[in-house]
Amino acid sequence: MNKKHLSYLLLIIVTIGLTSFGFKGTSDSDKGRLSKPTVNDHFSYIAINQILMWVANNGDGSHDPRTGGNGFYWPGGKNATKSAIFEDGLIWAGKIGREVRMNGNTHRQGLQAGKILYPGKADDPSLAKYRVYKIRKGWEEMPQGLERAAFEKDYNEWPVADGAPWVDVDGDGVYTQGIDTPQFVGDEVLWYVANDLDPSRSARTYGSPPIGMEFQTTIFGFNRTGPLGDMVFKKYKIINKSDNTVDSMYFGYWSDTDLGFATDDYTGCDTILSLGYTYNADNNDDGFYGTPPPAVGYDFFQGPVIPYDPIKYPIIIEKNLPDSAKFDGKWIKGKTNLPMTAFPIYVNPHSIFRDPSQGVYSGTLEFYNYLNGLIWNGNPFINPHTGLPTKFVVPGDPVKGTGWYEGPGWPGGPPPGDRRHVMCTGPFTMAPGDTQEIVVGILIARGTSNINSIAALKRVDLAAQKAYDLDFNLTPPPPQPKVTAVGYDNKVVFYWGDNAESYEGKDPLIFGFGYPDTTYNFEGYEIYQYRDLAGTDPVLLATYDLVNGITKILDYVDVQGENVLLPVASGSNSGLFRVYDLTTDTYTQKILRNGSPYYIGVVVYAYSEYSAPNVLKSTHSPIEVFPSR
């Protein structure tokens, strides 16, 4: 990493006050440590909602460069301390003639920064313009400082010429800074371009020569509560810039999911949702997430595009795929998107479910077998319940207790432990100049138990799929007010601005149905105390709302899989106040102690009578304050 990038990263880390976390070592040769970075290995992170996730322009994902360990944290956003994923990344493989070639990002990274120039030559990966860019909605309103300056720099230098998405405001087809803008797919967006043309990296991963693929990667998330607050997305635009046709090609999304304490995990998949997930084997993730532990998963929200040809692709009839495909935000008639087509898992040590060999060409062949839904040696996986070949390992339902799943659903199966899996999709063909696009969602949810967390994860997944189908054209939540706190003798006083009181958010989901009002309107403030900066165990201290007759607001809330009508906001026509005095610690019921930290925050809520949900809220954003004489 060059000095400029290193300084940039360190400044951002200092600015947001992130701390270092430990990581778990394993017997895997490259797991538990971070290889010495080169000039083009630039890391950044997304932290717009409850997730903090690291990414790099060498294809590495969910891996923390500060520790060489777990790099996907939840909950708490930039203040999160508990981790659920050690590392993940995209895999690709196909045939050039009769030769299988593959590359990707697992415990070793196969990409280098930068685009591919004509005719098939990689640009200099050390160029500063090939860093990971990060922009955020509302950066202009941030206070002056290093973090705001970093957002401003990336916004102004947004690399449209290299493929970064943008909005043609004036419709002239030419990007004009100051008129046209970067495209905010989400509320925070990261972007980088990379390629697979470094032969030393390609050989080090799985011993294969490069193919000649360029990867334009967009990572985005939403500043929301609800399902989108526990999810981030990766959109890969892959261009074949080689002179070769790649046949029988597959993509895979590989993950080493360490859900808190890593050696008590199980994994599974849902073939209907195209979802792969990891969950705790018992109801206590000791020393990490505790009871109940969450479940973490991955979904192919958009798979590769293939012709709608049921004869050539029998999966079209098998999965009842539509006769239109989504690509670049548009629907293409006569095409369809492939779903997840295979799901292998790795359980070390195990003779069948083992990792492919790294650094040798035999690893390419082993991984290609996995992508095809076969054991590493080319034999089929056998479902122990049916005795029949299958491409999907553990596709059963642990919630219902049916089919082949880990634990009770796999008599004689491996014990809980460190799990890895690959979500696979294919085959398809990429001719020279062809472009494919896939979208992967990474999500996490906590239910009432380790098993119920799987059900909660699937509900989050379904909600996110609806949002994706709408191209995320959803109503934005109310803005977060700027809160200022002052410590006094055994007391803290905090106050906030009125910027949220003019909020009106139109709901596109109910347009055109004859409702008299299709808008969320500001309704009030909720004042909270928290146990820490991550927002643990929030306690509602008070509600200040408009005098308009709207008090307790009821809505249907998912409780253990049942829709239950519960209060989601409780006003009292109190009128609006923008100051609160805290003298008693809610958790101890004792007077505040001078010199001790306390954590408080203000949440804005808005109401729409005909929308679902009825209430939108700004995110919890705790601040720290110390009483003092």
Side-chain angles (χ1 to χ4, degrees):
M1 184 180 293
N2 62 29
K3 292 182 179 179
K4 182 176 181 181
H5 284 162
L6 181 59
S7 299
Y8 175 81
L9 175 62
L10 291 175
L11 287 173
I12 294 301
I13 292 173
V14 171
T15 301
I16 65 173
L18 289 170
T19 59
S20 294
F21 310 108
F23 65 92
K24 133 185 114 60
T26 74
S27 59
D28 298 341
S29 61
D30 281 48
K31 186 175 178 181
R33 65 181 177 86
L34 186 67
S35 300
K36 183 179 179 180
T38 62
V39 290
N40 67 90
D41 299 308
H42 179 225
F43 284 79
S44 188
Y45 60 86
I46 186 168
I48 192 62
N49 49 37
Q50 290 300 303
I51 290 168
L52 185 155
M53 183 183 77
W54 287 91
V55 298
N57 63 357
N58 59 15
D60 204 1
S62 301
H63 199 55
D64 194 329
R66 303 165 300 177
T67 64
N70 297 39
F72 178 100
Y73 301 92
W74 177 92
K78 67 181 182 180
N79 297 308
T81 59
K82 295 182 177 69
S83 61
I85 300 171
F86 178 86
E87 199 164 18
D88 58 27
L90 187 69
I91 298 293
W92 56 97
K95 293 181 179 180
I96 296 177
R98 299 179 63 181
E99 179 189 27
V100 176
R101 295 190 188 183
M102 72 121 352
N103 202 343
N105 306 289
T106 58
H107 292 138
R108 299 178 181 182
Q109 283 63 60
L111 293 180
Q112 64 177 350
K115 62 184 179 182
I116 298 177
L117 306 174
Y118 179 83
K121 178 183 178 182
D123 202 1
D124 182 356
S126 68
L127 294 177
K129 72 170 186 171
Y130 290 137
R131 66 185 182 272
V132 180
Y133 291 77
K134 179 162 66 173
I135 56 176
R136 177 184 289 187
K137 286 183 179 178
W139 64 267
E140 304 94 334
E141 300 173 4
M142 296 175 65
Q144 294 292 335
L146 295 172
E147 189 175 17
R148 184 189 188 280
F151 283 122
E152 182 175 15
K153 176 180 174 64
D154 284 354
Y155 185 92
N156 290 334
E157 297 179 7
W158 193 242
V160 169
D162 296 328
W166 59 287
V167 179
D168 190 4
V169 175
D170 56 8
D172 65 355
V174 178
Y175 185 78
T176 305
Q177 190 167 333
I179 299 176
D180 302 319
T181 64
Q183 182 183 22
F184 280 97
V185 187
D187 295 315
E188 186 165 89
V189 181
L190 282 65
W191 188 90
Y192 67 85
V193 60
N195 66 81
D196 68 348
L197 283 178
D198 184 337
S200 64
R201 293 189 176 213
S202 184
R204 187 174 182 272
T205 54
Y206 294 98
S208 174
I211 296 177
M213 297 287 174
E214 180 176 294
F215 298 79
Q216 299 175 8
T217 305
T218 305
I219 301 99
F220 58 97
F222 296 87
N223 182 21
R224 296 180 69 97
T225 56
L228 289 182
D230 299 317
M231 177 175 289
V232 290
F233 298 86
K234 285 186 172 181
K235 181 177 182 180
Y236 295 93
K237 184 177 182 180
I238 304 104
I239 308 170
N240 183 2
K241 289 194 172 182
S242 75
D243 294 328
N244 298 308
T245 294
V246 186
D247 195 15
S248 302
M249 188 167 183
Y250 290 82
F251 289 132
Y253 202 85
W254 171 94
S255 178
D256 184 346
T257 47
D258 289 357
L259 186 62
F261 182 66
T263 59
D264 63 351
D265 294 344
Y266 281 150
T267 196
C269 71
D270 187 313
T271 60
I272 303 299
L273 297 177
S274 287
L275 174 72
Y277 58 88
T278 295
Y279 59 105
N280 219 64
D282 57 34
N283 200 35
N284 183 17
D285 185 48
D286 190 33
F288 291 86
Y289 281 107
T291 302
V296 64
Y298 298 80
D299 188 317
F300 276 132
F301 283 95
Q302 179 183 315
V305 174
I306 60 171
Y308 189 81
D309 185 346
I311 296 176
K312 184 176 181 180
Y313 299 100
I315 192 174
I316 291 174
I317 301 301
E318 178 187 340
K319 296 289 187 179
N320 192 28
L321 301 180
D323 62 355
S324 294
K326 193 170 187 180
F327 180 85
D328 199 23
K330 303 179 180 64
W331 289 95
I332 306 172
K333 194 73 174 176
K335 308 280 188 180
T336 196
N337 295 108
L338 279 170
M340 180 173 69
T341 55
F343 186 81
I345 70 171
Y346 308 146
V347 181
N348 278 347
H350 203 285
S351 60
I352 296 176
F353 306 99
R354 71 164 179 80
D355 294 276
S357 305
Q358 289 189 314
V360 292
Y361 185 71
S362 60
T364 285
L365 301 179
E366 292 168 1
F367 220 131
Y368 192 66
N369 282 329
Y370 277 135
L371 291 171
N372 278 267
L374 302 169
I375 299 173
W376 60 272
N377 59 13
N379 294 330
F381 290 108
I382 301 298
N383 186 315
H385 288 256
T386 65
L388 299 175
T390 179
K391 294 185 177 183
F392 298 92
V393 178
V394 288
D397 190 338
V399 178
K400 296 179 180 179
T402 58
W404 179 20
Y405 64 94
E406 291 218 70
W410 193 353
D418 187 6
R419 295 291 191 263
R420 290 167 295 290
H421 65 249
V422 186
M423 296 169 49
C424 313
T425 183
F428 53 93
T429 299
M430 288 192 74
D434 278 358
T435 300
Q436 284 284 4
E437 183 181 76
I438 64 171
V439 179
V440 177
I442 309 175
L443 56 153
I444 188 167
R446 192 199 303 265
T448 57
S449 69
N450 60 318
I451 300 300
N452 183 258
S453 288
I454 301 171
L457 187 77
K458 292 183 179 183
R459 292 193 293 271
V460 168
D461 189 41
L462 286 168
Q465 184 68 59
K466 291 180 182 178
Y468 176 75
D469 291 342
L470 288 167
D471 292 322
F472 302 106
N473 291 319
L474 305 177
T475 312
Q480 183 69 34
K482 181 181 179 181
V483 180
T484 302
V486 181
Y488 295 97
D489 187 15
N490 303 121
K491 179 174 75 172
V492 297
V493 177
F494 51 104
Y495 55 93
W496 54 95
D498 63 356
N499 59 297
E501 293 175 18
S502 60
Y503 168 82
E504 290 184 355
K506 296 187 179 298
D507 184 358
L509 297 178
I510 61 173
F511 287 169
F513 289 91
Y515 292 114
D517 187 2
T518 59
T519 302
Y520 285 94
N521 296 289
F522 168 83
E523 182 61 29
Y525 300 107
E526 295 178 338
I527 296 87
Y528 287 89
Q529 184 182 353
Y530 309 89
R531 288 195 184 275
D532 50 37
L533 271 177
T536 304
D537 194 15
V539 175
L540 180 64
L541 303 176
T543 301
Y544 300 144
D545 62 321
L546 295 172
V547 181
N548 59 4
I550 299 172
T551 53
K552 182 181 292 185
I553 302 173
L554 301 178
D555 203 352
Y556 284 96
V557 177
D558 193 305
V559 178
Q560 300 184 37
E562 300 292 334
N563 282 326
V564 181
L565 195 62
L566 295 173
V568 292
S570 297
S572 59
N573 286 319
S574 64
L576 298 180
F577 301 91
R578 301 184 202 95
V579 62
Y580 188 87
D581 294 1
L582 181 67
T583 57
T584 302
D585 184 347
T586 304
Y587 302 105
T588 65
Q589 294 300 308
K590 295 180 180 179
I591 295 174
L592 302 189
R593 298 176 57 185
N594 291 337
S596 295
Y598 295 91
Y599 307 94
I600 49 87
V602 178
V603 170
V604 179
Y605 70 97
Y607 173 66
S608 173
E609 180 179 359
Y610 305 102
S611 295
N614 290 140
V615 169
L616 288 180
K617 296 185 180 183
S618 63
T619 56
H620 290 273
S621 298
I623 63 173
E624 184 178 60
V625 61
F626 294 83
S628 62
R629 293 183 183 276

